[in-house]
């Protein structure tokens, strides 16, 4: 699309002007971003306030911590009580399960890490302890967890295990479109996911459902450009996918990262918090690496239930409501006292609007 080349030389005000002019051809449009980083950037930059009133941005299930189910947290807490120590990213630390959070239940045995590779050091330096690495994230982080498993096997590490809740973006897009709970006119697609899996995986979804999508970068100008490209795709109906984030995204993705991910993991049915089970939307360890799967090595039966029935994070994640429509938003639920995962994570829609979008 020639507009991509032209847009690179336009200033923000010019892009906004082009968006408003092109949007006049449409009555009402719902564009969904399926990326928590996009959500945070959209509200930080005040993008909703400068778009024409007929363009509505919906936050989808693009926050990996937010879609991690209650029973995953419950299981992690149960393993702590069995004598294991937990290694996790900080965002997951305060996410509520059925009975509590990692922070409230067993904070002394939980170590915050910034990269999955740190887990190898913990395991090697503490051979008398048993560690569980909480593998949470999308296609962007899955290769990092795969590399940990490969290295652990090479080094003969026996005291490190994975509790896996890795998710895949294209299947949840299909689920939302099949569910038909809301009208989605186009998708803002995560550039960092596409750097791993390539743009072709998103093209399949867009082509199958005849829905436009733009693989977008993360600066405000990138997002505005992508919104304009979505409008142009709708206007011309010549094709359904365009890549705005061309500096980093290739059609085939990162072949080495994909190879490692496919070597270690296989697709499986996965539960998404507030959404339900989706076929082939998660990753689990393959048979040759099963000795690192804590659910296989030490199975636990956990009885979980919805943590707080008044929390409407599930509807927020499906784009059905805005966070401000939840009765708990800023009414007992805040980043300091979160009642649901969308307020905990730095990529959650509730946290983004609470911090940047209430005005």
């Amino acid at each position: 699309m020639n507009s991509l080349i032209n847009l690179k030389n336009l200033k923000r005000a010019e892009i906004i002007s082009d968006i408003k002019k092109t949007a006049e051809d449409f009555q009402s449009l719902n564009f969904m971003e399926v990326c928590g980083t996009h959500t945070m950037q959209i509200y930080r930059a005040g993008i909703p306030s400068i778009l024409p009133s007929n363009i509505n941005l919906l936050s989808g299930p693009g926050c990996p911590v937010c879609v991690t189910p209650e029973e995953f947290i419950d299981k992690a807490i149960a393993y702590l009580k069995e004598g294991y120590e937990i290694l996790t990213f900080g965002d997951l630390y305060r996410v509520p399960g059925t009975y509590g959070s990692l922070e409230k239940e067993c904070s002394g045995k939980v170590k915050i890490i910034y990269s999955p590779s740190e887990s190898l050091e913990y395991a090697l330096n503490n051979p008398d302890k048993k560690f569980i690495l909480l593998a949470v994230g999308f296609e962007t982080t899955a290769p990092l967890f795969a590399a940990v498993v490969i290295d652990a096997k090479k080094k003969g590490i026996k005291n490190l295990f994975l509790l896996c809740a890795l998710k895949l973006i294209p299947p949840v897009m299909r689920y939302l479109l099949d569910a038909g709970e809301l009208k989605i006119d186009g998708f803002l697609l995560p550039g960092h996911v596409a750097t791993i899996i390539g743009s072709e995986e998103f093209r399949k979804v867009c082509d199958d459902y005849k829905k436009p999508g733009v693989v977008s970068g993360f600066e405000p100008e990138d997002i505005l450009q992508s919104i304009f490209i979505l409008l142009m795709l709708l206007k011309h109906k010549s094709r359904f996918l365009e890549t705005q984030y061309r500096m980093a995204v290739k059609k085939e993705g990162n072949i080495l990262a994909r190879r490692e991910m496919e070597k270690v993991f296989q697709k499986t049915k996965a539960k998404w918090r507030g959404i339900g089970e989706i076929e082939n939307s998660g990753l689990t360890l393959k048979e040759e690496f099963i000795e690192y799967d804590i659910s296989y090595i030490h199975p636990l039966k956990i009885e979980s239930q919805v943590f707080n029935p008044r929390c409407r994070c599930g509807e927020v994640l499906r784009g059905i409501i805005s966070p401000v429509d939840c009765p708990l938003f800023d009414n007992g639920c805040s980043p300091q006292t979160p009642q649901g995962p969308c307020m905990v994570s730095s990529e959650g829609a509730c946290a983004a609007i609470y911090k940047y979008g209430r005005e």
Side-chain angles (χ1 to χ4, degrees), residues 31-32 173 184-189 205-207 209-214 229-235 239-242:
F31 294 152
M32 175 178 280
M173 291 172 60
I184 300 175
D185 296 294
F187 287 99
L188 286 171
L189 300 168
V205 179
C206 294
D207 286 351
Y209 290 87
K210 304 297 187 288
K211 294 290 182 181
V214 178
I229 295 168
L230 274 176
L231 289 169
M232 296 299 289
L233 288 171
L234 280 168
K235 183 175 181 177
R239 59 178 176 272
F240 297 101
L241 184 83
E242 185 60 74

Side-chain angles (χ1 to χ4, degrees), residues 257-272:
R258 291 184 68 174
R259 190 176 297 149
E260 289 213 337
M261 189 166 61
E262 291 164 4
K263 178 180 180 180
V264 173
F265 296 114
Q266 60 188 357
K267 293 180 181 179
T268 186
K269 180 189 290 187
K271 184 173 182 181
W272 297 60

Side-chain angles (χ1 to χ4, degrees), residues 167-175 178 266-272 275-283:
K167 303 286 197 298
L168 304 174
I169 291 292
V172 77
M173 291 172 60
R174 292 180 181 274
Y175 176 91
D178 287 336
Q266 60 188 357
K267 293 180 181 179
T268 186
K269 180 189 290 187
K271 184 173 182 181
W272 297 60
I275 297 177
E277 289 190 328
I278 304 175
E279 290 288 343
N280 295 318
S281 67
L283 295 175

Side-chain angles (χ1 to χ4, degrees), residues 8 31 33 80 87 96 99 120 133 151 199 211 213 219 227 246 270 279-280 304 313 335-336 345:
K8 295 299 181 182
F31 294 152
E33 78 270 4
L80 282 167
L87 306 172
Y99 310 106
L120 295 167
L133 174 61
D151 283 350
S199 59
K211 294 290 182 181
E219 295 301 319
I227 291 170
R246 291 186 174 183
E279 290 288 343
N280 295 318
S304 299
C313 275
Q336 292 73 41
S345 173

